[in-house]
Amino acid sequence: MCKRVLYEIPCINSVGGAHIASANLISQLIERGYHIDILTDSVPTADTRIRFGNPEFLVYDVSYSYLKRALMWFWRKVFNTNLYPAFVLDFHRVLRRIMLKYDTICVMSERSKFRKVVASLPTHVRKVQLIHTDYVNWFRSSAESKMITKDDICVYAKMNLIALVGRFNQRAFNVTFPILADKTDFFYNVITAKKTNSDIYLNKEKSLRIVTISRHDNIQKASTRSVRIAARLFKLGYSFTWDFIGEGYEEESEYIKKIGADDNVRFLGNVNGASSLLPNYDLLALFSTSEGLPMVVFESLISGVPVVATSLPGLMEQINPLFGWLFPNDEESIVCEMSHLLEHKESIWECRKRVMNYRYDNESVIQHHLKMLGLA
């Protein structure tokens, strides 16, 4: 009998890294004949349905509304009263009954509102919690994250598996929460970027082309700092273009225009399939202050583009010194190191040649996910 898996994924139409990673994996599993359904809080668009491989979507705001009305109608008819017992109105009980139909429940986000519901399921249901971020830094980074995670130790103790993106994040989690260490594993994501076959490298006289692909976020991504670094390099007279792909850079865009750097530092907004543009650049820059295991780094390396990033645990796991550079996580150091790179662009051309040999093993990644889900 084919096992049934239910993924709980909020905000299904989001194009954030965890959603893209989930879509890449789920579409592959469905293509291989596995039964995967998705429980979500919003109606998927046509593009989202295709991206996830056209699974069955259970939209719980719509589903629950229907079930609640049906139960209320039944109760009025049978007992002739408008006073309803708790089980008729209890949203979590409805979700729990849906979940009990599955062999495995996989919670995609550490922010999920329904982790407690999943944790409460009986032992015959396999319960998997995925964590796509640097959890140890994130869970205490703000009042919001502290509120979200305040009951996590109790909740995660009832899960069968807590899977963290990357080895570094798993190790940090185990050190911080040793009581949960025997329940953890690490995973990587399925990456769909295509290997470029181009043997053409940019002429050393051409202006260096840099790209940052990231939503605007000053808590983890340090977006304003990255723009400030670009502005400082412009003022120092270096020749480059630096494109920022992602939404939310309105204030930074005004600043760049004010200093006359808008031909060098550009803001392209959201771009569908942004990773497909990577071969047009010489360098991916990612100067975050906290990261899980960003997909864009793997996408860049697969595309033959070196990476320059801050020296964070997840990024250290991704970036071999042959394929890029890691800088200390402070603005002055980054400006100094970037200045050195811009003065010695030949090192970037040599690195790009080496990156052409980079390989990423998607098949091993898929097989590991199958084991985590109890399907292998």
Side-chain angles (χ1 to χ4, degrees):
M1 179 175 153
C2 180
K3 290 186 176 180
R4 303 180 70 200
V5 177
L6 181 68
Y7 271 79
E8 194 273 315
I9 304 178
C11 307
I12 195 67
N13 297 309
S14 168
V15 289
H19 287 76
I20 293 171
S22 299
N24 290 349
L25 174 67
I26 290 170
S27 61
Q28 284 286 320
L29 297 183
I30 290 173
E31 187 176 312
R32 296 177 184 215
Y34 293 98
H35 186 124
I36 312 289
D37 294 343
I38 297 176
L39 182 69
T40 186
D41 58 353
S42 49
V43 177
T45 64
D47 286 344
T48 297
R49 290 180 181 276
I50 293 170
R51 202 154 38 91
F52 278 88
N54 289 305
E56 180 75 22
F57 285 93
L58 309 174
V59 183
Y60 50 71
D61 59 349
V62 175
S63 300
Y64 175 61
S65 177
Y66 172 79
L67 287 169
K68 180 178 175 180
R69 288 199 305 270
L71 285 168
M72 291 172 71
W73 176 87
F74 175 82
W75 199 263
R76 285 197 307 271
K77 285 290 185 183
V78 174
F79 299 102
N80 194 29
T81 179
N82 287 324
L83 298 175
Y84 307 106
F87 80 86
V88 174
L89 304 176
D90 190 339
F91 184 20
H92 287 186
R93 290 194 187 187
V94 175
L95 284 180
R96 197 169 185 275
R97 288 172 185 171
I98 292 172
M99 293 175 179
L100 285 171
K101 299 176 182 178
Y102 293 86
D103 299 285
T104 300
I105 309 293
C106 186
V107 181
M108 184 211 76
S109 173
E110 58 278 359
R111 296 171 178 264
S112 170
K113 298 175 182 178
F114 301 113
R115 287 168 297 159
K116 290 183 181 179
V117 181
V118 175
S120 73
L121 296 174
T123 56
H124 73 269
V125 179
R126 182 170 176 78
K127 294 159 280 190
V128 179
Q129 172 72 55
L130 299 183
I131 297 178
H132 285 269
T133 191
D134 176 2
Y135 182 91
V136 170
N137 283 320
W138 170 75
F139 90 97
R140 53 193 171 197
S141 64
S142 67
E144 180 193 18
S145 63
K146 289 175 183 176
M147 178 61 67
I148 292 170
T149 61
K150 63 184 177 66
D151 298 322
D152 274 8
I153 292 181
C154 296
V155 171
Y156 290 165
K158 298 177 182 178
M159 297 289 189
N160 295 94
L161 180 67
I162 308 156
L164 298 102
V165 64
R167 293 176 187 267
F168 276 93
N169 290 316
Q170 182 198 14
R171 289 173 190 163
F173 186 94
N174 289 348
V175 169
T176 308
F177 308 105
I179 194 172
L180 299 174
D182 63 340
K183 289 180 174 286
T184 69
D185 197 355
F186 71 92
F187 68 93
Y188 296 113
N189 290 314
V190 174
I191 308 294
T192 58
K194 302 298 182 184
K195 190 72 181 175
T196 178
N197 295 317
S198 174
D199 291 324
I200 300 173
Y201 300 96
L202 293 183
N203 187 300
K204 296 179 183 179
E205 300 303 318
K206 288 190 176 181
S207 175
L208 191 71
R209 296 183 297 183
I210 307 168
V211 64
T212 294
I213 302 177
S214 170
R215 70 184 188 281
H216 187 279
D217 169 21
N218 279 328
I219 296 175
Q220 293 178 293
K221 304 294 184 182
S223 301
T224 299
R225 179 177 73 171
S226 295
V227 175
R228 197 162 56 238
I229 289 165
R232 289 180 64 178
L233 294 170
F234 168 77
K235 289 177 180 179
L236 289 170
Y238 292 111
S239 175
F240 66 90
T241 59
W242 192 332
D243 290 344
F244 287 83
I245 299 178
E247 63 181 359
Y249 289 88
E250 290 79 9
E251 290 185 15
E252 288 81 1
S253 179
E254 289 302 314
Y255 170 68
I256 290 298
K257 288 177 183 177
K258 185 177 179 180
I259 65 171
D262 45 320
D263 286 337
N264 298 76
V265 183
R266 305 180 297 187
F267 301 92
L268 307 186
N270 273 339
V271 176
N272 289 333
S275 62
S276 65
L277 301 178
L278 282 165
N280 298 321
Y281 295 93
D282 306 305
L283 201 59
L284 171 75
L286 198 64
F287 298 131
S288 304
T289 54
S290 176
E291 282 287 357
L293 209 69
M295 290 179 63
V296 69
V297 170
F298 288 132
E299 290 169 338
S300 184
L301 296 175
I302 292 169
S303 300
V305 179
V307 181
V308 57
T310 34
S311 186
L312 302 174
L315 293 166
M316 290 167 63
E317 185 173 347
Q318 292 178 283
I319 302 170
N320 183 306
L322 292 173
F323 303 141
W325 296 265
L326 291 166
F327 298 157
N329 185 21
D330 70 86
E331 185 171 327
E332 293 305 319
S333 296
I334 295 170
V335 171
C336 179
E337 297 288 355
M338 283 297 293
S339 297
H340 181 79
L341 269 184
L342 288 164
E343 290 167 6
H344 299 86
K345 289 186 284 189
E346 66 277 2
S347 64
I348 298 173
W349 316 140
E350 291 303 315
C351 185
R352 189 166 188 181
K353 292 177 184 177
R354 293 194 297 270
V355 175
M356 297 298 292
N357 296 317
Y358 180 83
R359 297 290 182 269
Y360 190 84
D361 189 357
N362 271 321
E363 184 57 34
S364 293
V365 170
I366 292 170
Q367 291 301 320
H368 188 67
H369 276 274
L370 288 173
K371 290 179 182 177
M372 292 196 306
L373 294 170
L375 299 176

